[in-house]
């Protein structure tokens, strides 16, 4: 028997877009914390749509089917439609409504059975899904040690199944787009293997996943708290071993120059040569350039900052770091650089242009 085909979050995103056009329901499988719900939420925002998130593992059959009541006008039993399903009035306000059925295989068989008609026929009882509603379900694999029920074969056969795997490049792109803390992105850019260390056989309560690293980022958003408290919190999020390694990285990263001092021309040298800290510095400079665009810094000042960005990287960093910084700035953020206004761009393009094209392919 062959292994299950897996996809990265970037590949899953393309699959969802294609399935949406064909109005085919998709089931996203994957271990906990891999970013299934974040993927669906982000794609919904990108499409200008509206997402309805139903946690089926916490629902009863009547939450989907509705409840019966006596209709005195008809003299018959009638059904009250559930309020959580999208109405036509709501659907008319958005180009796309995404009905996200999370934890589907954690739902009791009776709840899965109630969802069957909705997925199969796009209706349940008298209720009909509006035409612009697309269905995405998600759940953990049976091997992930979570609470799961085997999905009935007829229901499984109604979905296009995509099993997601952790992929650092996809996560990094998402992370910089969503301003995940520079120290988190910097550390994981250096220690890619630490992005995910879930082991279903382990008794550890805290383990590293893309989701738990986003929690670490949130814990670092303000600078309140002593190192011991922050270490305790991070250990309770990604595990003690990674917390110690991350805090050691953060201590060194704190000695790096400030990105605003580099981009303003106050600093052009680098004394600390610790590699993981250098990754954090590259990320922080990219964030600073993006912030300058968002603040609508005047064009001349922005290009002076950008010129120092390229010049500083070429002077102080190895090729991999230069390529990463340029790729984030040029392709992920699509910053409005005009090469004719950058004194360092010709040298940069000559030395690194081919690497940028390879990294963007």
């Amino acid at each position: 028997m062959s292994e299950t085909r897996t996809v990265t979050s970037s590949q899953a995103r393309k699959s969802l877009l294609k399935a949406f056009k064909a109005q085919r329901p998709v089931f996203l499988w994957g271990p906990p914390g891999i970013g299934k719900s974040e993927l669906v939420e982000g794609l919904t925002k990108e499409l200008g749509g509206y997402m309805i998130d139903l946690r089926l593992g916490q629902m009863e059959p009547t939450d989907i089917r509705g409840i019966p009541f006596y209709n005195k006008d008809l003299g018959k039993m009638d059904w009250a439609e559930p309020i959580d399903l999208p109405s036509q009035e709501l659907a008319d306000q958005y180009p796309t409504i995404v009905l996200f059925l999370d934890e589907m295989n954690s739902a009791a068989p009776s709840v899965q059975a109630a969802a069957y008609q909705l997925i199969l026929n796009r209706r349940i009882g008298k209720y009909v899904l509006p035409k612009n509603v697309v269905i995405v379900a998600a759940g953990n694999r049976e091997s992930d040690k979570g609470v799961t029920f085997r999905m009935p074969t007829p229901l499984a056969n109604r979905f296009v199944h995509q099993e997601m795997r952790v992929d650092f490049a996809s996560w990094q792109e998402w992370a910089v787009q969503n301003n995940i803390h520079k120290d988190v992105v910097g550390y994981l850019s250096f220690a890619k293997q630490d992005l995910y260390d879930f082991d279903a056989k382990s008794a550890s309560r805290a383990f590293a996943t893309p989701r738990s690293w986003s929690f670490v980022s949130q814990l670092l958003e303000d600078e309140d708290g002593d190192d011991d408290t922050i270490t305790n919190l991070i250990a309770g999020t990604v595990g003690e071993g990674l917390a110690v390694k991350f805090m050691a990285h953060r201590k060194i990263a704190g000695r790096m120059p400030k990105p605003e001092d580099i981009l303003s021309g106050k600093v052009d040298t680098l004394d600390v040569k610790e590699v993981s800290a250098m990754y954090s510095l590259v990320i922080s400079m990219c964030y600073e350039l993006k912030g300058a665009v968002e603040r609508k810094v005047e064009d001349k000042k922005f290009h002076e900052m950008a010129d120092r960005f390229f010049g500083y990287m070429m002077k102080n960093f190895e090729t991999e770091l230069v390529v990463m910084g340029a790729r984030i700035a040029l392709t992920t953020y699509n910053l409005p650089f005009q090469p004719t206004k950058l004194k360092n761009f010709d040298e940069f393009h000559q030395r690194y242009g081919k690497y940028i094209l390879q990294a963007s392919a």
Side-chain angles (χ1 to χ4, degrees):
M1 183 176 179
S2 62
E3 295 183 1
T4 301
R5 184 183 182 91
T6 61
V7 297
T8 67
S9 59
S10 296
Q11 291 170 326
R13 175 188 170 280
K14 294 178 182 178
S15 294
L16 286 171
L17 285 172
K18 183 72 172 175
F20 285 176
K21 290 182 180 179
Q23 214 169 54
R24 297 306 309 161
V26 177
F27 198 111
L28 295 176
W29 297 89
I34 198 173
K36 299 182 289 293
S37 58
E38 289 83 356
L39 170 64
V40 177
E41 183 179 3
L43 185 55
T44 303
K45 290 180 180 179
E46 184 180 324
L47 295 172
Y50 182 86
M51 186 176 89
I52 297 175
D53 187 351
L54 299 184
R55 303 294 170 117
L56 295 194
Q58 304 169 21
M59 298 178 75
E60 299 291 334
T62 52
D63 293 329
I64 297 175
R65 178 69 174 87
I67 59 173
F69 70 95
Y70 176 70
N71 188 325
K72 63 180 181 180
D73 295 328
L74 299 176
K76 298 179 181 179
M77 185 187 77
D78 206 344
W79 286 89
E81 298 175 0
I83 196 169
D84 290 328
L85 294 179
S87 65
Q88 187 61 56
E89 181 182 6
L90 176 66
D92 289 341
Q93 299 176 41
Y94 299 91
T96 303
I97 301 289
V98 177
L99 181 59
F100 184 45
L101 307 177
D102 202 2
E103 304 173 359
M104 185 162 191
N105 60 331
S106 297
S110 58
V111 178
Q112 293 190 35
Y116 180 85
Q117 186 186 3
L118 187 66
I119 296 163
L120 173 62
N121 298 322
R122 296 181 58 83
R123 65 183 301 153
I124 187 165
K126 296 190 300 182
Y127 172 80
V128 179
L129 279 175
K131 291 183 178 180
N132 63 333
V133 174
V134 294
I135 298 175
V136 182
N140 296 330
R141 305 163 303 182
E142 293 179 21
S143 60
D144 293 325
K145 212 171 72 172
V147 177
T148 60
F149 296 91
R150 184 174 293 275
M151 185 181 297
T153 302
L155 178 59
N157 193 236
R158 299 299 170 185
F159 283 105
V160 175
H161 297 270
Q162 300 280 279
E163 181 167 329
M164 292 176 59
R165 69 176 185 270
V166 175
D167 173 68
F168 175 78
S170 297
W171 176 84
Q172 186 190 58
E173 182 173 357
W174 173 86
V176 296
Q177 288 284 17
N178 288 272
N179 291 326
I180 295 299
H181 196 281
K182 63 180 179 62
D183 287 345
V184 172
V185 182
Y187 172 74
L188 292 174
S189 296
F190 169 72
K192 299 178 179 63
Q193 73 281 358
D194 290 342
L195 174 61
Y196 186 80
D197 71 351
F198 171 68
D199 181 359
K201 298 178 182 178
S202 172
S204 177
R205 298 186 185 93
F207 48 89
T209 66
R211 178 169 59 200
S212 59
W213 280 114
S214 71
F215 295 162
V216 172
S217 176
Q218 292 169 5
L219 293 170
L220 300 176
E221 283 181 0
D222 61 59
E223 297 300 324
D224 293 342
D226 56 274
D227 284 353
D228 188 54
T229 299
I230 294 173
T231 302
N232 290 339
L233 289 169
I234 295 176
T237 306
V238 296
E240 183 177 2
L242 288 184
V244 172
K245 288 170 62 178
F246 176 75
M247 290 301 290
H249 152 81
R250 198 161 184 251
K251 184 177 181 179
I252 298 173
R255 293 163 28 206
M256 303 297 273
K258 294 181 180 180
E260 57 268 31
D261 288 344
I262 296 171
L263 299 181
S264 66
K266 294 179 181 178
V267 175
D268 68 354
T269 58
L270 182 64
D271 296 326
V272 180
K273 298 292 185 177
E274 207 281 330
V275 179
S276 70
M278 293 163 72
Y279 275 98
S280 288
L281 181 57
V282 172
I283 297 297
S284 65
M285 286 195 293
C286 290
Y287 283 1
E288 190 71 19
L289 285 172
K290 180 188 177 188
V293 173
E294 293 171 346
R295 296 192 305 271
K296 298 182 179 179
V297 170
E298 63 174 320
D299 184 74
K300 181 181 178 181
K301 183 178 179 180
F302 170 75
H303 279 89
E304 288 174 349
M305 294 169 66
D307 199 44
R308 295 182 186 115
F309 169 69
F310 287 111
Y312 188 86
M313 289 199 301
M314 289 189 293
K315 179 180 178 180
N316 295 289
F317 298 148
E318 297 295 330
T319 298
E320 182 181 354
L321 280 165
V322 178
V323 171
M324 184 188 80
R327 178 179 56 79
I328 292 172
L330 291 167
T331 62
T332 303
Y333 285 160
N334 196 26
L335 296 179
F337 298 134
Q338 296 183 41
T340 56
K341 297 182 180 180
L342 299 171
K343 292 182 293 183
N344 286 305
F345 193 82
D346 286 343
E347 180 186 353
F348 165 78
H349 186 268
Q350 183 178 0
R351 290 172 59 182
Y352 303 102
K354 62 180 179 181
Y355 300 111
I356 303 298
L357 290 174
Q358 291 171 3
S360 304

